[in-house]
Structure formats: structure tokens, C-alpha cells
Amino acid sequence: MSTPILAYPFRPFFLLTGIYGAITILAWMAFLLGGLPLPLGWSPLHWHSHEMLFGLGSAAIAGFILTAICNWTGAAPLRNRGLLMLLLLWLIGRIAFWTASYWPAIVVAGLDMAFLFALTVYVTRVLLFHGNKRNLPLALILVLLTLANALMHYGFVDGQIQWLQWGEQLALGLVTLMMVMIGGRIIPLFTGNWLRNRGATGLLPRSYPALDAAALLSTLLVILVDLFGPTHEPGLLGAIALVAALVNALRLLGWVGWRTAPEPLLWILHLGYGWIVLGLLLKGLAAFAWVAPSAWLHALGAGAMGTLILGVMSRVALGHTGRPLSLPRWGLLIYIAISLAAVARVLAALDWLDYQMGLVISASGWTIAFGVFTWIYWPILTSPRVDGRPG
């Protein structure tokens, strides 16, 4: 069963992320604007948000964590038969969701939730076996993501939209927390290494433990207050979200992202983290009813999540296949298209751009970004390493 695509987890999961990112938005726009009937089973809006978070998002998360965990622990990568079984769980979940109206809701829930459950068990077991306590918080995030998925399914079975919204809010908050956590590790590290290798002098990225802790804690507080805080005092959530935006902005400023302008593989990561700052800022402003309440969702979803997924995948795929860290030809189009998609979607949510036009521009940019990633990286992800090493 040995084949390059099953040699390392990032290979099939990144490829599926690219394919699914393009297909899902095309189908969603065909449903919204073209009247294409889809056998959703769920309310269309929550079907869309679920697949963005638990379909697309979970594939990208799996590809990254299952690859990074080998560096964190020294464990052998999940490959061949074991990796194939996990991939099949993800695929079965997507098939169940696309045909949800044909099955009992409890069956759809079981088939869909099996993937995240299996991923969580595997990651937790590897971290515990190797005594890697530093990364156990990521395992806890996976546990809570599984819970968020269960909340959405319960909401559909129970018929109460509040459960769907709680699951959606918890999932997006956890993904944001994961981006803050992982971004704080890799962005200054990659930036500093690149600057030093170029012999750069002057400012280098700096991380401050107190600021890092404040960024994580304030982002976590946003999640907790959003879910459990008093609904009659939205100012509390707004204030915490604005503090989180400020702390994360200061953190980002310390990583001297402007010095990475010549290297797209780096500035895209800084840009993606910048969308987190904007998303938290918009969330704070929305709590005070100063901006539209949905703008922050799209800043974090289309902006931060979309940009960082593509930025991390395009870099990891090169480095882990033995290729130079240089963006392939036409690769810049990926970053331009996802940025256009994010800007258009946020402007439409703010009512600063015609809503339908904004949707079309955003969907087109998103589809191009994930489609071009798939086209460029397909041969990279399905071919052996160029340096002859395993993986």
C-alpha cells in the first residue's frame, strides 16, 4: 500500500482541503444564487457553516497537526493503512452530510463525528505516550471541537437553532484560539530564520512571554464570555474582544512582518494573523452595535482561516517534500485571490459593497484560491520527495 500520497498526513489532507474548499463554495453559491437544490437535510446556512468548520477546517487541522506532531514528539508519522482509514472517516462524514436528507439525523451525526473523534484519540494518545505536555492544550481543543460538532448535530435533531449557534460559535472560537496558539509559534520562528539566513541586520522578530500569554488568555475569554456571559451586558464581550484585538495586534507588530515583503510564503502568514486582529476588533465593535454583527464572522472565517490555511499548506507542502521554500509559479495568485475573497465578504457584511456582488466576488476569489492551490500542489503532494528521503 506504500504510495507517496499516503507517506505523510499532510499530503492527502492538504489535497482534500484544496479540492473541498473549491467544491463546497461552488455548490453553496449555486444553491444561493442559482437555485440549485441540494440534499442538505439541515438549514442551508448552518450546513454551510458546518462544512466550512468541520469539513474544510478539520481536514486542514488534521493535515497540520498530524505532521507537526512528528516534530514535537519524534513519533513516526501516521501513514499507509492507518492514514487511509482516517481519510475514509473524513470522506464518509462528507458523504453523509451531502446526503443528509436521506438518512436519520442520528446516523448522519455518528458518521460525521467519527473523524474528529478518531483524530482526537490518536493525537492525545501520541502526546501522552511521548510525554509531550506542552502540546496537550491542542488535544483539549480537539476534544472541544468534537463537542462543538455534537452541539450542532444536537441542535438539528432537537430543532432548536440556539444549539446550532452555540456549536458554530464554539467551533469558530476554538479555531481562532488554535490559530493564535500555532501562529505565535511558527510566524516569528519562520520570519527570524529567513531574516538571519539573508544576513539581515536591525529589527528581528521578538516574542514576549507575557504578551503571548495575554493573547491566548484574552482570546479564550472572548470564547467563554461569548458562550456564557450575560446577554444583557454585551459591553463586557465588546470590551474583552477589543482588548484581545489590541494584544494580538501588539504581538503581530513585534514579528516585524513588513520586513518579509520580498517573501510571499512569509508575508501571507502575517497577513493571515492580521485578519485575526481585525476579526476580534469587529467583534468588539459589533457588541456595541457600531458595525454589522456578522462582519467579524467573515473576517475570522474567510479572512484568518482561509488565508492561514492556504499560507501554511503552501509552505509546509514545499518544505516537507524536500523542495526549496520558494512559491511556485502562479502561486501568488492563491494569495491574491483569497485576499480578494476575504475583503469582498467583509465589505458585503458591513454593507459597504452590494451584497450579491460581494458574494460573487468573494466566492470567485475563494474558489480560484483553493482551485489554483490544488492545481499547483497536486503533483507536489502526490510525488516522492525530491531529495530521496522518506515522507
Side-chain angles (χ1 to χ4, degrees), residues 13 16 81-95 111 115:
F13 279 115
L16 286 174
R81 190 181 301 276
L83 180 55
L84 180 60
M85 291 176 64
L86 193 61
L87 288 167
L88 288 176
L89 286 180
W90 183 87
L91 287 169
I92 289 169
R94 308 289 56 78
I95 293 170
L111 293 176
F115 170 72

Side-chain angles (χ1 to χ4, degrees), residues 243-266:
V243 169
L246 175 61
V247 172
N248 279 284
L250 292 174
R251 193 187 196 202
L252 177 62
L253 189 64
W255 299 339
V256 298
W258 62 89
R259 301 200 68 190
T260 66
E263 180 48 73
L265 286 170
L266 283 176

Side-chain angles (χ1 to χ4, degrees), residues 281-303:
L281 174 62
L282 290 172
K283 188 172 183 66
L285 296 178
F288 293 105
W290 292 340
V291 298
S294 65
W296 68 271
L297 284 167
H298 300 297
L300 291 177

Side-chain angles (χ1 to χ4, degrees), residues 53 137 140-142 144-145 147-148 151 162 165-181 214-231 236-245 248 276 279-280 283-284 296-297 300:
L53 292 164
L140 178 58
I141 290 177
L142 290 177
L144 294 175
L145 270 176
L147 173 62
L151 290 177
Q162 186 64 63
Q165 292 172 340
W166 282 336
E168 180 184 73
Q169 287 175 237
L170 178 58
L172 184 56
L174 290 169
V175 170
T176 302
L177 184 63
M178 186 177 289
M179 291 188 294
V180 170
M181 185 181 297
L216 290 168
L217 179 60
S218 59
T219 305
L220 177 61
L221 283 175
V222 170
I223 301 172
L224 295 175
V225 175
D226 201 13
L227 288 170
F228 306 113
T231 56
L236 176 62
L237 173 61
I240 293 174
L242 291 176
V243 169
N248 279 284
I276 297 176
L280 292 169
K283 188 172 183 66
W296 68 271
L297 284 167
L300 291 177

